[in-house]
Amino acid sequence: MAIRIAVIGTGGIAHAHGDAYKKLGDRVEFVACADLDLAKAQKYAEEYGIPANKAYDNCYDMLKENEIDAVSVTTWNSAHAECTIAALNAGCHVFCEKPMAMNAEEAKAMKEAAEKNGKILMLGFVRRHGNDAKSALNLIKEGYMGDIYYAKASYLRRCGFPGGWFGDKSRSGGGPLIDLGVHVIDLARYIMGNPKPVSAYGATFDKLGARSEVALSADDWQSTTETEKPIFDVEDLATAMVRFDNGAVLHVEASFNLNIKTPTTTVEFFGDKAGLSFTPFELHTVVDNKLADIAIQGDTGFHFSNSFAAEAKNFIDAIEGKAELVANAEDGVTLMKILDAIYLSAQTGKSVDIE
Ligand SMILES: NC(=O)c1ccc[n+]([C@@H]2O[C@H](COP(=O)([O-])OP(=O)(O)OC[C@H]3O[C@@H](n4cnc5c(N)ncnc54)[C@H](O)[C@@H]3O)[C@@H](O)[C@H]2O)c1
């Protein structure tokens, strides 16, 4: 029987979810959707073959009036906890977009709701599903890297504020750290074997603001939501060091706006046998007492739609008991703890311990 799917928050990323589910053919059936903006929900319903009377302006009526097995939560960040918990309590499995929530406290409540209801809660850490991540894990398993003791994660935009609610701290929880940094911090932690974070030291800046007067970089993500007036009360740059219980350290940097020449989204790992960079995907090592850079052939890239397809498939496979989740609620909570610690450290100027 097809898994009956519903979507809460039918803006931009909801389409990546919808298109990914579509690729699963008759394993899924779109049954309903909801958005605070009913017109958006209706348009989405039309696009994905959902009956017009199954487009709602709130998730509560949608969950009450329909038989739904699984829900994608693709709202702005401040609604993730509320909508996820409502869906779990209504007996649905949930695929929640990153970041899991506004903070670790909300994230823990979501994890508890999943456990209480015996339902799956998957986190939208799509970078875990890239070919680069898979190849990196294989290289590590085959022993090419040795012990990884340092990593770097960068998601730096030169002029890439996504607009709308992304600049409104009450709905986003923060700026590029919680929006972009979350992707590469999680990716780095995943490749390093999900070590437990123990402390963080960070700094945030808001020197450039929204930079709305400057022409945007064409490829960067834009929210589909308009705000009544422009809001930008979040950081425009964050940088931090995160220490893990195995002694390894991760340096992270994320910006919406920065006076940098070349924007970058990448991670690098440094082991005692070799280093590994993702862009380009290369090992850096020593061969015959000479420095050597080894380029790995084949598809070792991150492709947006293929990775969303792999992510949605993992969700449906897990619901059907055919696979373990690649990114589970615990991974989401851990990430929120790291982000909370970095933001607190940026405020206090001191290193913050992570429980
Ligand atoms: N994985 C990725 O690569 C990726 C990329 C972009 C965005 N995202 C995440 O996806 C989420 C949505 O981002 P977006 O760019 O699609 O935003 P968006 O502004 O385009 O859409 C968000 C939608 O959620 C709706 N909404 C908000 N609260 C709601 C509620 N309580 N009930 C129903 N609908 C509600 C809004 O009306 C809006 O239509 C964010 O959490 C963002 O971080 C992930």
Side-chain angles (χ1 to χ4, degrees):
M1 221 172 76
I3 306 277
R4 293 162 297 187
I5 299 279
V7 176
I8 305 175
T10 54
I13 207 66
H15 291 81
H17 284 232
D19 294 348
Y21 287 131
K22 257 189 180 173
K23 291 189 180 149
L24 294 168
D26 58 10
R27 290 182 71 194
V28 300
E29 180 193 352
F30 291 88
V31 293
C33 62
D35 196 291
L36 297 180
D37 181 343
L38 182 61
K40 263 189 187 176
Q42 286 166 335
K43 195 160 171 282
Y44 190 86
E46 203 181 320
E47 209 174 322
Y48 290 95
I50 296 168
N53 64 344
K54 297 295 177 190
Y56 293 81
D57 65 2
N58 71 90
C59 71
Y60 296 100
D61 290 341
M62 182 193 86
L63 292 165
K64 200 165 60 195
E65 292 175 18
N66 297 279
E67 296 282 326
I68 300 166
D69 300 308
V71 166
S72 270
V73 173
T74 46
T75 63
W76 48 61
N77 304 344
S78 62
H80 285 188
E82 178 193 346
C83 298
T84 295
I85 291 170
L88 290 166
N89 286 342
C92 304
H93 302 288
V94 175
F95 167 5
C96 177
E97 258 307 330
K98 51 53 62 172
M100 185 165 182
M102 298 288 274
N103 50 51
E105 198 184 331
E106 282 187 2
K108 280 185 217 158
M110 294 159 77
K111 181 171 174 275
E112 278 163 23
E115 286 161 1
K116 185 186 84 186
N117 290 292
K119 295 292 162 189
I120 284 171
L121 173 51
M122 184 176 101
L123 260 291
F125 291 137
V126 68
R127 303 263 157 181
R128 290 189 177 211
H129 297 270
N131 290 338
D132 43 11
K134 285 181 196 139
S135 300
L137 287 179
N138 287 340
L139 289 173
I140 291 167
K141 203 161 94 191
E142 288 171 23
Y144 285 100
M145 300 284 296
D147 178 32
I148 298 173
Y149 54 92
Y150 181 49
K152 294 207 280 186
S154 305
Y155 203 144
L156 296 174
R157 290 182 180 163
R158 182 172 181 173
C159 183
F161 166 50
W165 61 267
F166 282 90
D168 174 5
K169 197 171 178 185
S170 70
R171 282 184 282 176
S172 62
L177 179 67
I178 195 167
D179 180 43
L180 309 176
V182 66
H183 277 298
V184 284
I185 298 172
D186 178 71
L187 174 59
R189 188 178 159 264
Y190 177 57
I191 301 300
M192 293 164 90
N194 298 315
K196 183 180 173 316
V198 292
S199 65
Y201 178 74
T204 57
F205 300 88
D206 56 357
K207 301 275 186 190
L208 306 181
R211 243 187 184 179
S212 335
E213 67 290 357
V214 182
L216 278 173
S217 311
D219 301 340
D220 286 337
W221 187 262
Q222 283 295 289
S223 165
T224 63
T225 310
E226 282 174 23
T227 46
E228 272 174 30
K229 56 180 173 43
I231 308 173
F232 196 92
D233 60 2
V234 297
E235 81 277 5
D236 54 39
L237 167 71
T239 180
M241 295 284 276
V242 181
R243 189 178 289 278
F244 296 99
D245 63 348
N246 59 1
V249 164
L250 169 68
H251 174 229
V252 56
E253 47 184 8
S255 67
F256 282 156
N257 294 316
L258 185 67
N259 287 321
I260 186 175
K261 185 174 178 193
T262 313
T264 172
T265 308
T266 196
V267 285
E268 290 171 90
F269 300 92
F270 305 92
D272 53 15
K273 284 195 182 165
L276 173 66
S277 49
F278 270 36
T279 46
F281 198 85
E282 275 182 2
L283 281 173
H284 312 294
T285 189
V286 173
V287 174
D288 189 24
N289 281 338
K290 296 173 183 70
L291 297 180
D293 299 313
I294 302 170
I296 315 289
Q297 303 293 313
D299 190 350
T300 52
F302 170 78
H303 309 293
F304 190 81
S305 68
N306 290 359
S307 303
F308 269 95
E311 196 177 26
K313 182 176 180 303
N314 180 230
F315 182 48
I316 299 303
D317 283 348
I319 291 171
E320 292 179 346
K322 294 178 185 157
E324 292 285 313
L325 288 182
V326 172
N328 61 29
E330 183 61 37
D331 296 315
V333 171
T334 304
L335 244 289
M336 291 318 303
K337 286 185 187 173
I338 294 175
L339 300 184
D340 283 2
I342 295 174
Y343 279 130
L344 181 59
S345 171
Q347 267 176 28
T348 61
K350 298 200 162 57
S351 175
V352 171
D353 288 344
I354 301 174
E355 294 297 308

